[in-house]
Amino acid sequence: MKLNFTDLEASAKSWRKLAEKLEDAQVQHRQKVTGPLHASGWEGTDATYGFMMMEDDERELGLAASQISSVATVLDGTHDRMQKAQLDLRKAVREAEADQYAVDGDGWVSDTMYADVDPGTRRDPDFQEAQQRRAGPLGEYRARIEQAVQDAQSASYEGKERLHQIDPFDLDKVYGARSAQEDAREVAEEYGMKEKDIPDAKDPKANAAWWKSLTPAEKQAYMDAYPQKIGWLDGIPTTDRDEANRRSLEVSLSAYREKEEAGSLGIHDDRQYSGLLKLQDELDKADGATKDSDRLYVLGVDDDAGGGDGRALVARGNPDTADNTAIQVPGTGNDLTNVDSQIHRADRLQGAAMSANPRESTAVVSWLGYDAPEVDGSMVTPGRTEGGAGDLRAFTHGLRESHQGEPTHMTVLGHSYGSTLVGAAAANDGGIGADDVVVVGSPGMTVDHASDLNMDTGHVWAGYAKDDLVSTETSDLTLGANPTREGFGGKVFDVDTEGHSGYWDEGSESLRNQGRIIAGQPPNEGDYYVPPGERGRAPGSPGPGAR
């Protein structure tokens, strides 16, 4: 009844504060030690072993923070359960005494209302009936008090057992990240933060509302226990997604390291492991950045161990605070193994936009959020847009939801089959909410006219290199009308590069024009594409393939 839980509460707060300090130490180590060293180009044998040791320390700081956060969650949960048991006990005793039952120091409830009644009265049927009516509540009060005591004992015992299961000696093991997540998951499930409660609908508003309803401690527990699910939640803050996805990345890398040590890496495993290591390398080099626009934020990562090519959403700059935000969707042949090249493409687009308007900040997301086609029959059908189109819509609307301050100017860009996905996303369910759409090297956007894209056709831009056969030969076939033709109803910007993948060449007018659009400025316009068979035809007269 009189047990004081302030020491338990204070202990939980101390452990949580320690977890926060360890996490801060990891971030500081990343930003002020390993990050700058990676960016400096330090190489050689000493660098290899030096980075290995420092990154092991950095990783262990993060794992220790996760485990200590789990300790704090157990203490918080034990405190809450014991306090509830105490409140239940006090309520039961208070109500019993109000009904004139007596409760002794051991919690036993007895009825003393008729203790002084003489034997004759006790034989009276009316008295016996009244006494019987009080027997029911008497049993209920005894049961309530017994249950409250049992609840307190269970809370104490289960809390002790959970603490014993958190193994601090796993931190330096190859399976340390997996072990820390398993501990965090068991603790979260035990204390009411269940995986089934994480929203699974593609509704950024619902995701954001759910996330805002959580306490800071609950958010941390969810990120430790279910990092991949939290990392993919559209609508929650970029910084939280980044933290969760970095944890998810470390868990995936840990799993591949285990396989590597066991000699069981398969061909698919080796490809995915290679891609994740490239992503980690890019993160390492960006961790020492002093400007927010130079930082990398991971908004989703999935190695898809089930056999797919994997997914990665990586932003250069923070989309939640940027004046301009661009989402670049790659096309055929892209997967985790060239995630570094995709990030570098985003870097060039960011640089072009900030050159067009240095006064405003720009974030560019490399969005490989779908299983891009291989160079096979899948590249000539819209099948690979299924699922991915809905994910892209949820992502763009999620960025609108999490953005701070005035709305960002949002541009969605698609290259090759990526333009097909962008078109499918924009054409359905109200569109993608972009201010501008840019496609290059497009085989078609799944629609016949820019007006089908749920946006102002004056902000639908297409570019093509004269020798890009994907744009000039495969559009108007199986994936929709050619967006570079006048009949499509959009606009064309000037391109001076060659081939299907030259649109981002440094110093090119093509790159500058994409940067201008991202910055909200008009590009230099180019000529609409006219097939050879229609050249010289009178304006307005129909030709083969016209739509």
Side-chain angles (χ1 to χ4, degrees):
M1 287 280 286
K2 297 181 179 180
L3 187 62
N4 190 319
F5 299 117
T6 54
D7 287 346
L8 184 56
E9 186 177 18
S11 179
K13 288 180 179 178
S14 295
W15 281 95
R16 199 163 297 285
K17 188 173 182 179
L18 177 57
E20 291 169 357
K21 287 186 175 181
L22 284 168
E23 186 174 347
D24 184 62
Q26 183 193 36
V27 172
Q28 292 298 315
H29 192 277
R30 183 188 298 152
Q31 293 180 352
K32 295 183 178 180
V33 182
T34 54
L37 283 172
H38 276 288
S40 73
W42 184 35
E43 296 178 345
T45 303
D46 289 344
T48 299
Y49 286 102
F51 279 129
M52 188 182 301
M53 293 179 66
M54 287 186 289
E55 286 164 1
D56 281 347
D57 290 342
E58 196 172 283
R59 183 163 46 249
E60 288 174 26
L61 283 170
L63 297 181
S66 177
Q67 287 197 324
I68 288 174
S69 180
S70 293
V71 170
T73 299
V74 172
L75 294 176
D76 270 334
T78 302
H79 168 266
D80 291 345
R81 288 182 178 182
M82 294 188 73
Q83 192 170 55
K84 181 182 183 303
Q86 184 185 58
L87 291 173
D88 290 344
L89 175 63
R90 286 175 174 173
K91 183 179 180 182
V93 170
R94 184 170 61 251
E95 291 177 2
E97 291 177 342
D99 285 346
Q100 297 184 335
Y101 296 97
V103 183
D104 65 20
D106 294 325
W108 182 253
V109 185
S110 56
D111 189 359
T112 59
M113 175 177 283
Y114 303 115
D116 298 330
V117 174
D118 61 78
T121 302
R122 290 182 182 279
R123 290 191 292 272
D124 185 278
D126 291 338
F127 173 80
Q128 291 176 355
E129 182 180 350
Q131 192 174 39
Q132 185 63 34
R133 283 198 300 269
R134 288 179 60 80
L138 175 67
E140 291 175 6
Y141 285 129
R142 286 174 178 171
R144 285 172 60 186
I145 290 173
E146 182 180 0
Q147 185 63 56
V149 173
Q150 288 179 356
D151 288 346
Q153 291 171 338
S154 295
S156 176
Y157 175 78
E158 290 168 6
K160 180 177 68 176
E161 289 301 300
R162 283 294 173 199
L163 290 175
H164 285 162
Q165 291 170 10
I166 298 173
D167 190 349
F169 298 105
D170 286 346
L171 296 179
D172 60 346
K173 305 295 192 302
V174 67
Y175 53 82
R178 175 174 55 81
S179 177
Q181 186 192 353
E182 289 172 355
D183 288 342
R185 183 185 292 265
E186 289 180 3
V187 167
E189 290 281 348
E190 177 70 29
Y191 292 99
M193 290 160 285
K194 302 183 182 297
E195 186 173 7
K196 67 179 181 62
D197 295 328
I198 301 173
D200 57 4
K202 292 184 175 67
D203 185 347
K205 286 187 179 294
N207 295 343
W210 174 76
W211 192 247
K212 289 176 183 176
S213 73
L214 303 178
T215 66
E218 288 170 335
K219 290 177 181 178
Q220 190 63 55
Y222 272 106
M223 286 192 286
D224 289 338
Y226 320 105
Q228 188 176 82
K229 281 204 166 185
I230 299 302
W232 283 94
L233 273 186
D234 296 311
I236 74 171
T238 287
T239 51
D240 290 338
R241 292 181 72 167
D242 178 64
E243 180 180 341
N245 281 309
R246 286 177 186 253
R247 292 182 186 277
S248 177
L249 174 60
E250 181 52 44
V251 172
S252 294
L253 287 172
S254 176
Y256 285 120
R257 290 188 197 105
E258 287 186 67
K259 286 187 175 184
E260 188 176 40
E261 283 198 359
S264 59
L265 272 179
I267 295 175
H268 182 72
D269 289 336
D270 192 58
R271 283 177 57 81
Q272 304 306 80
Y273 188 23
S274 169
L276 294 180
L277 287 174
K278 288 179 180 179
L279 173 56
Q280 185 63 65
D281 185 55
E282 292 298 321
L283 294 175
D284 289 340
K285 288 186 287 189
D287 280 339
T290 56
K291 294 190 298 184
D292 189 61
S293 59
D294 294 336
R295 296 188 186 280
L296 284 179
Y297 296 87
V298 188
L299 302 178
V301 63
D302 178 7
D303 62 307
D304 199 349
D309 291 331
R311 300 177 295 165
L313 318 183
V314 186
R316 180 72 74 177
N318 188 342
D320 288 354
T321 58
D323 299 309
N324 304 301
T325 300
I327 298 98
Q328 165 70 22
V329 183
T332 301
N334 286 282
D335 56 30
L336 276 180
T337 62
N338 68 339
V339 65
D340 50 345
S341 297
Q342 297 165 31
I343 293 171
H344 299 163
R345 183 173 293 175
D347 292 345
R348 289 194 289 275
L349 287 168
Q350 183 197 49
M354 295 182 74
S355 293
N357 188 348
R359 296 181 302 279
E360 293 185 344
S361 59
T362 297
V364 180
V365 182
S366 171
W367 194 91
L368 182 63
Y370 76 117
D371 190 13
E374 294 74 38
V375 182
D376 59 20
S378 65
M379 61 188 280
V380 297
T381 75
R384 290 295 181 93
T385 68
E386 296 175 6
D391 290 337
L392 180 58
R393 275 194 301 274
F395 182 76
T396 58
H397 289 294
L399 290 187
R400 291 292 192 197
E401 189 67 30
S402 61
H403 190 76
Q404 304 167 19
E406 292 294 317
T408 189
H409 175 265
M410 183 181 291
T411 304
V412 180
L413 308 96
H415 171 236
S416 190
Y417 196 91
S419 71
T420 308
L421 180 71
V422 170
N428 294 285
D429 296 332
I432 53 180
D435 297 294
D436 284 280
V437 161
V438 178
V439 297
V440 292
S442 175
M445 301 180 71
T446 74
V447 297
D448 291 337
H449 198 274
S451 60
D452 298 326
L453 300 174
N454 290 297
M455 61 182 298
D456 182 351
T457 58
H459 289 272
V460 177
W461 297 94
Y464 68 98
K466 292 180 175 57
D467 63 345
D468 182 355
L469 298 182
V470 172
S471 185
T472 60
E473 299 292 334
T474 65
S475 275
D476 281 323
L477 296 177
T478 60
L479 296 177
N482 188 335
T484 66
R485 296 185 65 169
E486 186 172 10
F488 185 75
K491 291 188 173 184
V492 172
F493 65 89
D494 187 32
V495 169
D496 60 343
T497 56
E498 297 179 351
H500 187 55
S501 300
Y503 296 100
W504 307 273
D505 287 353
E506 292 286 3
S508 68
E509 186 65 9
S510 170
L511 180 60
R512 282 192 291 270
N513 279 327
Q514 291 177 78
R516 291 175 182 127
I517 297 170
I518 292 170
Q521 300 176 359
N524 292 329
E525 296 189 30
D527 296 327
Y528 288 104
Y529 174 68
V530 179
E534 297 179 31
R535 291 170 190 169
R537 192 184 305 277
S541 61
R547 293 172 181 262

